[in-house]
Amino acid sequence: MSDASRISIPALFCVAHQPTLPDTIARLRGDEPGYERLAYELLNGHFFERPGRTPVYPFFIAGCYTIFGRSPASVVYVQAFLGATIIPLTFILARRFTGPQSSLVAAGLIALNPALILHVRLLQTEILYTPLMLLTVLGLLRALEQPQWQKFSLAGALLAITNLCRPTAMLFPLIVPLLMPRQWSLKRKIACFVAYLGAIIIITTPWIYHNYRTHKTFLIYSVSTALLWQGSPEFYHFAYEQLPKRHIVQIWEEELNPARNGGHNAFTIEGDRYFTKRAIASILREPAVYL
């Protein structure tokens, strides 16, 4: 039997553009090996010993591995079905603001969006984060329409899970009081917001405790992986002004590579703090460029 004939149907599905790659971690690129490694370590009894990632997506991969074995292609196959859920979720969300025809157009645009289609084939958080974010918004809209503490608790729980997948909505609770109708009494507003925030705290606290016990520091989700520095004037000069201009991948391979920057790994607490200090210094040097 040839090597090509040993490739599974899921592998053929997700590596059609590179059919010679096996269904192993050798076919993963960029951030994918990091998520895959965390999932594999979970199955071998190692629980998030590094602070670089949040837990929900690695748990998802680990669940797929539990069922199908260590097969990155099987994860992609499951993600194909998971990614399709955003189409009806978009329709449901749109129906709260517009008619059925416009909602179908919105769902159709989502179904044909190249970025959302291509996310399916990558082991990255976006494929899980997108439906979770839609559910989070739908849960909050329902709570605002039917102001009961149980519904606000559910909406808060959905947001907590979403942030534990990808913490880009961590400031979302700040706008919730502004969305509450003016005719609500202050007592109702406080009770609903406490229920919302309480659910977030209850679900997030075990992860915060794990981070503190493991890394001996207060860390709500994970390190930012030099996020502030990647929006600093220094980064801007690297990417857009210095010649030759460098792609973000090149900057990661050079400036953010511990082997080339003096050992500062952005996926560690020390490395993240180093790049945060570097970013602040860059912003203070060139505040106009930053603005």
Side-chain angles (χ1 to χ4, degrees):
M1 183 180 293
S2 66
D3 289 341
S5 63
R6 294 191 185 97
I7 301 176
S8 64
I9 291 176
L12 289 173
F13 170 80
C14 55
V15 292
H17 62 296
Q18 292 179 310
T20 58
L21 290 179
D23 183 15
T24 67
I25 59 173
R27 53 189 294 251
L28 303 179
R29 297 290 183 271
D31 292 336
E32 294 178 285
Y35 290 116
E36 197 279 341
R37 183 175 63 252
L38 285 172
Y40 187 68
E41 289 175 352
L42 277 171
L43 297 177
N44 287 277
H46 301 281
F47 190 85
F48 297 99
E49 297 171 352
R50 293 178 294 276
R53 300 296 185 191
T54 45
V56 168
Y57 187 65
F59 268 121
F60 167 75
I61 298 176
C64 294
Y65 279 7
T66 301
I67 299 171
F68 302 107
R70 193 180 187 183
S71 165
S74 69
V75 179
V76 175
Y77 212 53
V78 174
Q79 288 184 168
F81 293 95
L82 180 63
T85 63
I86 66 174
I87 301 171
L89 286 174
T90 299
F91 177 82
I92 294 170
L93 179 60
R95 279 293 287 122
R96 291 180 170 269
F97 302 99
T98 188
Q101 292 181 337
S102 298
S103 300
L104 283 172
V105 171
L109 291 172
I110 291 295
L112 299 175
N113 186 292
L116 296 174
I117 294 170
L118 294 176
H119 280 165
V120 168
R121 62 187 180 90
L122 301 175
L123 267 63
Q124 294 183 356
T125 58
E126 286 86 350
I127 191 63
L128 189 56
Y129 176 82
T130 305
L132 282 174
M133 194 66 224
L134 287 168
L135 287 171
T136 296
V137 174
L138 285 168
L140 180 58
L141 288 174
R142 185 185 179 195
L144 291 169
E145 291 171 355
Q146 303 174 23
Q148 300 171 351
W149 71 266
Q150 297 94 331
K151 290 182 172 58
F152 271 93
S153 295
L154 177 59
L158 287 169
L159 178 61
I161 296 169
T162 300
N163 280 330
L164 287 171
C165 176
R166 187 179 181 92
T168 51
M170 61 185 300
L171 298 180
F172 197 77
L174 297 179
I175 70 169
V176 171
L178 303 177
L179 299 176
M180 294 179 179
R182 292 182 178 180
Q183 61 267 29
W184 287 9
S185 66
L186 180 61
K187 182 178 179 181
R188 169 176 284 185
K189 290 181 179 180
I190 292 174
C192 290
F193 186 67
V194 167
Y196 187 78
L197 200 60
I200 296 173
I201 293 171
I202 290 171
I203 291 177
T204 309
T205 295
W207 178 248
I208 297 174
Y209 173 72
H210 162 75
N211 284 335
Y212 182 80
R213 186 183 63 178
T214 304
H215 310 297
K216 302 298 184 285
T217 189
F218 179 76
L219 193 63
I220 298 178
Y221 295 110
S222 64
V223 295
S224 72
T225 59
L227 182 64
L228 185 63
W229 183 77
Q230 293 179 73
S232 70
E234 185 180 14
F235 182 91
Y236 172 79
H237 295 319
F238 282 135
Y240 299 105
E241 291 190 344
Q242 293 184 3
L243 296 176
K245 295 180 181 180
R246 287 183 281 180
H247 189 271
I248 186 171
V249 174
Q250 292 176 295
I251 297 174
W252 267 92
E253 291 174 348
E254 296 170 11
E255 301 298 327
L256 291 163
N257 186 343
R260 299 186 181 184
N261 66 16
H264 302 290
N265 186 345
F267 286 93
T268 66
I269 293 172
E270 178 279 329
D272 188 57
R273 288 174 176 172
Y274 165 80
F275 280 103
T276 298
K277 291 178 181 178
R278 188 167 155 181
I280 293 173
S282 173
I283 293 168
L284 292 176
R285 282 196 308 269
E286 300 181 277
V289 175
Y290 183 66
L291 289 174

